Amino acid sequence: MSLIEVRGLQKSFGPLEVLKGIDLTVEKGERIAIIGGSGCGKSVFLRSLCLLEKPDAGQVFIDGQEITAKGADVDQIRRGMGMVFQKFHLFSEMNVMDNLCLAPVRLKGMKREEAEAKAMDLLAQVGLASRAHAWPTVLSGGQQQRIAICRCLMMEPKVLLFDEPTSALDPTMVGEVLAVIRMLAKRDMSMLIVTHEMNFAREVANRVLFFADGGIYEQGTPAEMFDAPKRAKTVAFINKIKYFAYEISRRHFDLMQVQGGIQSFGEKYGMDQPHTYRLQICCEELIYDLMNNCYPGQENVDIKLTIAYTESNGSNEITLDCGGKEYNPFVQQDDGLSVTILKKMAKQLDYRQENARNYIHIVL
């Protein structure tokens, strides 16, 4: 029996469809990292598992019990899950020990002495035994988050749900919280972790889910997802690829708008001026080369320009998608200025014709 099973989970906020029918199975001991861009539904998905967000449709089973079923004992099923939030949500009117002992004493009937002994053991494991009677307001963000994790562990959950547990922390405090999660991973604690820490996800997870388009867009092992992602949006996210795009429909187009757009694109992502200038020259020459050879004497044209910049290695790719006559600029007897420049600076030059369109791809 799977620890968590999700079937057709859907969630919308008004007209915005956030989750579009998600299916997922989580086995005991799995450590799943959930990554993706802001607003892609990662946190909504995690909160839907324990009904902090009520799904519009679909089913969620926790250790065989359907938490989404009509009449389900939601509170009882939730006790098998521990949720660690971006904000720590400690009770400010209680000291650390009271924060940790409240739930197990009230909900599990644990004796206070037993709860305190368990709390002290957990605090010692996360390096905070000396803060057992401190008030949350005097603790750092990293300390509060470690205590929030201990509070979850006091209930002996079957699975821990982490909703970006380091996003509210100063960078100097992130490491101490990640160290606690690593410790739990070594103990084969079942975990689902929404995170922006890619290196941490690679190290801790044994499966990575990339969220996009309202669902699990791609998933695999950390090596598969970070070293060899297969789908376009995953590749763009992992490599932090940024795009500039422009479509040209008439021969007398606004060249200055194109060049200004490339200049702004280069400045935004820190390209040096000579590199940006070479991009401008190459794009200008190629555009006019395609116009003259694919659309000779025609006013109406159909040329799509895309420039991709990969932050991880500083590389650029130029793609031109053009209709009209078949034309390969790289096999002409007399190379034009654009091809001469490109052959000197390009790592790769590719041309193909497909569905009556010319495709040019250049890696710089």
Side-chain angles (χ1 to χ4, degrees):
M1 181 186 300
S2 301
L3 180 58
I4 298 176
E5 186 175 354
V6 181
R7 302 175 187 169
L9 194 68
Q10 299 177 32
K11 178 65 181 178
S12 297
F13 296 96
L16 179 61
E17 192 176 11
V18 179
L19 306 178
K20 302 179 180 180
I22 294 179
D23 298 310
L24 178 68
T25 299
V26 180
E27 302 298 337
K28 183 178 180 181
E30 273 201 287
R31 302 178 301 279
I32 296 177
I34 302 174
I35 63 173
S38 298
C40 68
K42 306 183 300 294
S43 295
V44 173
F45 173 70
L46 207 67
R47 292 170 65 86
S48 295
L49 297 182
C50 53
L51 297 196
L52 291 177
E53 294 286 356
K54 187 175 180 181
D56 298 324
Q59 297 172 288
V60 178
F61 296 84
I62 307 297
D63 204 19
Q65 295 180 286
E66 186 185 352
I67 193 171
T68 49
K70 186 177 180 179
D73 189 342
V74 174
D75 290 337
Q76 179 62 38
I77 298 173
R78 274 180 179 157
R79 292 176 192 176
M81 297 182 282
M83 184 85 176
V84 180
F85 302 90
Q86 297 177 30
K87 300 292 185 180
F88 326 117
H89 296 306
L90 298 176
F91 296 113
S92 59
E93 70 276 12
M94 298 181 180
N95 66 22
V96 168
M97 183 60 69
D98 290 338
N99 264 278
L100 297 183
C101 293
L102 179 65
V105 170
R106 288 195 180 182
L107 300 179
K108 297 185 70 173
M110 189 181 292
K111 293 182 180 179
R112 175 73 186 204
E113 294 80 8
E114 181 184 356
E116 287 191 5
K118 184 176 181 64
M120 286 302 299
D121 179 56
L122 289 171
L123 288 171
Q125 291 180 45
V126 302
L128 292 173
S130 64
R131 311 298 279 167
H133 300 288
W135 297 94
T137 52
V138 304
L139 302 176
S140 71
Q143 290 172 329
Q144 290 187 64
Q145 193 64 294
R146 281 185 278 166
I147 290 164
I149 296 172
C150 289
R151 182 174 58 182
C152 289
L153 295 174
M154 288 290 293
M155 296 296 288
E156 299 181 339
K158 298 169 184 175
V159 60
L160 284 176
L161 310 178
F162 291 92
D163 185 10
E164 300 189 39
T166 61
S167 65
L169 300 178
D170 184 280
T172 60
M173 301 175 187
V174 170
E176 61 193 68
V177 174
L178 297 184
V180 173
I181 301 175
R182 288 190 189 94
M183 176 186 72
L184 296 173
K186 290 178 181 178
R187 298 176 183 177
D188 291 327
M189 183 76 197
S190 303
M191 297 184 283
L192 279 79
I193 309 166
V194 171
T195 183
H196 289 291
E197 303 282 345
M198 297 298 103
N199 290 334
F200 171 71
R202 178 193 286 270
E203 177 186 353
V204 169
N206 45 32
R207 183 157 44 129
V208 178
L209 312 180
F210 174 65
F211 268 50
D213 298 340
I216 300 170
Y217 181 83
E218 186 173 351
Q219 62 178 301
T221 65
E224 290 169 340
M225 294 296 289
F226 293 114
D227 297 333
K230 295 180 175 62
R231 303 190 65 189
K233 290 185 180 181
T234 317
V235 172
F237 179 82
I238 296 299
N239 293 319
K240 296 183 179 178
I241 300 176
K242 309 299 181 183
Y243 294 95
F244 168 81
Y246 196 91
E247 295 189 15
I248 301 168
S249 60
R250 298 181 65 82
R251 179 176 295 273
H252 295 90
F253 70 103
D254 190 343
L255 176 62
M256 292 303 99
Q257 188 177 56
V258 177
Q259 301 293 46
I262 296 173
Q263 180 68 38
S264 297
F265 180 73
E267 290 174 354
K268 182 175 181 179
Y269 297 110
M271 301 179 207
D272 60 53
Q273 184 55 41
H275 187 86
T276 302
Y277 178 69
R278 287 194 296 270
L279 277 175
Q280 291 173 315
I281 292 296
C282 290
C283 289
E284 178 181 347
E285 293 289 331
L286 280 170
I287 288 168
Y288 281 116
D289 196 19
L290 291 173
M291 279 187 181
N292 293 332
N293 289 280
C294 297
Y295 298 97
Q298 298 180 41
E299 174 61 24
N300 294 328
V301 302
D302 181 10
I303 301 174
K304 298 178 176 65
L305 166 69
T306 303
I307 299 173
Y309 173 65
T310 303
E311 289 185 335
S312 59
N313 60 17
S315 69
N316 277 113
E317 297 183 31
I318 300 172
T319 303
L320 284 152
D321 169 359
C322 174
K325 293 184 177 181
E326 181 177 358
Y327 174 69
N328 182 350
F330 305 133
V331 296
Q332 307 310 307
Q333 290 184 346
D334 297 318
D335 291 339
L337 176 60
S338 61
V339 176
T340 301
I341 294 172
L342 286 169
K343 285 184 175 179
K344 289 182 178 180
M345 60 186 292
K347 298 177 182 177
Q348 181 180 334
L349 299 171
D350 293 312
Y351 168 84
R352 78 179 194 278
Q353 190 189 53
E354 187 176 301
N355 298 323
R357 294 192 68 83
N358 302 283
Y359 292 93
I360 297 164
H361 181 238
I362 302 145
V363 180
L364 301 179

